[in-house]
Amino acid sequence: MGSRPSNNGMGTDYMFASESIALKQLGFRDFKDILPGQAIIIKKGFTPVAYQIQEPKRYAVDIFEFCYFARPDSIIDGISVNVSRKKLADKIKRVMTPKEISDIDVIIPIPETSVTSAPCVAAVLKKKFVQGFVKNRYVFRTFIMPGQTQRKQGVKRKLNAMNEEFAGKNVLLIDDSIVRGTTAREIVAMAREAGAKKVYFASCAPPVTHAHIYGIDLASPNELVAHDHGQDRAIEEIARYIGADRVIFQDLQDLKTACSEAVVSKSAPYEQLDFEVGVFCGDYVTPVDEGYFQHLEEVRGESRKLKVLEKARQAVANGSLNQEEVDIVANGVKVTANGDVVPATSSYEHSHTNGDSKRRRRSREEGTPPKDRMDISLHNYRDFPAS
């Protein structure tokens, strides 16, 4: 919560936001953190009053805000996002072997979240830092484009690898996280096309293994590339899936330590500071009924159905239907047990869903290069080609 003098010179304006930058850019100051279980009541002409309506059990901050969601110039619950990301970089060296470190020629960030962390990684590893990717800020989000060909062209325009920074080098790519893995595959493919000899891929976050239920709905657990695997096996599988020579993940305890070390304002009870880390381990800060996850899957399924139907209607309008879209227009769609949206015919579901699952599994096991260009602005946004 922040405050500022009212524009008419009478009284005070108050504003609430999850990040300090939203308040700061509108001229609000005197920030105050709202604690768990608090309600703030503001009566016209009076100062805000805080009521503790629920006894707080834990003071747990969503840690994924610091490695992925938030702007670097924000302060959240007294923790500097910029400082936390620099601290994350300091910890990466702990999970790398001396051989891997000696093998690296250059450190390259993936725009834009990792631009804060990558120079610090380079400093810690004593390696050269370069900007190897150029992001075209004038291209809009490509995932909303109606056709796959248009999306491919849009992404090629959005992110470009500079060949001179990759050619003949062993590169370490730094990203904030790996969620579904599809964007990581695309970026690794770009690096190899630009001439990289070896591609190491480092995530400033641990493997994302569970749904994020308190903020942005990242993905269904079944879509997460690190979901439901043993730790060692998962890292090897993920490396093959995205086409990298090696994948390096941040350690969860190091992530928590880095954020704890980034406290710049102690207005909150930091002796009780904890972090919500359920997205990395399934240990959520509040009890979650198993039925809630099923509810989320149903909501996601309905959302996907609308998108698939709209795409089929667009194909009708353009006169460019394929057989799948013909079936969709004729019969509607339904969501299968593994979350795929298919035409509402049992024969299609049996023949295509099983085959599609096998192709995805084989693709992950063999580490085949991506066939489709994905939207780089939305990290790891899932989009598989039509059969």
Side-chain angles (χ1 to χ4, degrees):
M1 179 179 70
S3 62
R4 71 179 183 188
S6 296
N7 289 335
N8 61 10
M10 301 173 60
T12 303
D13 295 334
Y14 298 96
M15 179 177 172
F16 298 85
S18 59
E19 297 185 31
S20 64
I21 188 62
L23 305 175
K24 185 177 179 181
Q25 289 193 327
L26 293 174
F28 287 84
R29 297 292 184 269
D30 300 324
F31 304 146
K32 179 181 178 181
D33 294 317
I34 310 304
L35 302 180
Q38 276 191 348
I40 308 298
I41 308 298
I42 305 178
K43 294 182 178 181
K44 186 175 182 179
F46 293 86
T47 58
V49 179
Y51 294 92
Q52 195 70 38
I53 61 173
Q54 179 69 39
E55 189 67 26
K57 295 182 179 180
R58 295 166 66 183
Y59 187 69
V61 181
D62 185 357
I63 206 165
F64 208 45
E65 293 280 355
F66 300 97
C67 51
Y68 183 63
F69 290 136
R71 273 181 50 161
D73 48 350
S74 279
I75 295 176
I76 303 175
D77 290 288
I79 300 173
S80 166
V81 177
N82 179 58
V83 174
S84 69
R85 289 178 182 168
K86 290 180 178 180
K87 296 287 185 180
L88 287 175
D90 295 340
K91 313 295 183 185
I92 286 288
K93 184 177 181 180
R94 289 165 45 88
V95 291
M96 298 182 66
T97 67
K99 183 179 183 304
E100 289 169 345
I101 295 173
S102 64
D103 200 31
I104 294 167
D105 296 318
V106 294
I107 310 292
I108 297 177
I110 298 170
E112 293 182 4
T113 312
S114 62
V115 170
T116 304
S117 301
C120 301
V121 173
V124 169
L125 300 184
K126 299 180 180 178
K127 297 292 180 178
K128 183 180 179 181
F129 169 78
V130 299
Q131 292 279 3
F133 292 104
V134 176
K135 183 177 179 181
N136 185 344
R137 63 188 66 184
Y138 303 107
V139 176
F140 295 108
R141 290 178 171 177
T142 56
F143 84 98
I144 59 174
M145 292 180 177
Q148 186 65 25
T149 299
Q150 291 169 285
R151 287 194 291 268
K152 289 171 64 175
Q153 293 171 345
V155 173
K156 288 180 180 179
R157 291 193 298 267
K158 177 166 286 189
L159 196 68
N160 182 61
M162 293 185 285
N163 291 9
E164 63 271 20
E165 304 296 357
F166 291 89
K169 299 173 184 176
N170 298 332
V171 301
L172 173 61
L173 304 180
I174 307 293
D175 204 358
D176 47 65
S177 60
I178 302 176
V179 182
R180 292 177 176 91
T182 48
T183 298
R185 294 179 77 198
E186 182 60 31
I187 290 170
V188 170
M190 286 183 176
R192 294 200 185 279
E193 289 168 5
K197 288 197 303 182
K198 288 185 180 181
V199 180
Y200 295 92
F201 198 105
S203 166
C204 289
V208 178
T209 56
H210 291 74
H212 188 267
I213 63 172
Y214 299 115
I216 294 176
D217 184 19
L218 288 176
S220 166
N222 292 330
E223 297 172 330
L224 301 173
V225 71
H227 176 69
D228 202 23
H229 294 287
Q231 185 76 6
D232 294 336
R233 181 186 173 204
I235 293 175
E236 293 172 359
E237 285 188 1
I238 293 168
R240 286 196 296 270
Y241 178 67
I242 70 173
D245 293 278
R246 170 91 158 88
V247 170
I248 299 152
F249 283 104
Q250 183 73 265
D251 177 75
L252 179 55
Q253 185 55 51
D254 284 343
L255 173 60
K256 295 168 72 173
T257 301
C259 292
S260 297
E261 293 173 350
V263 172
V264 294
S265 171
K266 295 188 177 181
S267 60
Y270 283 96
E271 66 278 1
Q272 304 171 22
L273 180 63
D274 197 1
F275 294 98
E276 155 51 33
V277 295
V279 70
F280 301 119
C281 62
D283 181 17
Y284 297 103
V285 70
T286 57
V288 183
D289 185 80
E290 193 62 32
Y292 180 69
F293 294 102
Q294 180 62 35
H295 168 70
L296 288 180
E297 289 303 310
E298 292 172 357
V299 171
R300 293 187 186 105
E302 290 302 316
S303 177
R304 286 195 293 269
K305 283 168 63 175
L306 293 175
K307 291 179 181 178
V308 171
L309 285 168
E310 179 59 29
K311 180 182 176 183
R313 294 190 186 104
Q314 289 283 346
V316 171
N318 297 332
S320 57
L321 279 77
N322 57 33
Q323 185 57 48
E324 179 183 352
E325 289 164 337
V326 170
D327 292 337
I328 288 173
V329 172
N331 304 304
V333 294
K334 63 180 179 180
V335 182
T336 65
N338 61 358
D340 294 316
V341 178
V342 300
T345 56
S346 58
S347 60
Y348 187 95
E349 179 182 348
H350 177 75
S351 61
H352 286 70
T353 303
N354 291 343
D356 191 50
S357 298
K358 290 178 181 177
R359 281 192 295 275
R360 294 181 197 176
R361 185 165 58 250
R362 183 166 62 249
S363 174
R364 181 173 296 181
E365 291 172 352
E366 296 174 358
T368 55
K371 296 180 181 178
D372 297 276
R373 300 291 179 179
M374 314 306 293
D375 178 25
I376 301 304
S377 72
L378 291 182
H379 283 251
N380 306 298
Y381 200 93
R382 188 188 188 196
D383 187 17
F384 289 96
S387 300

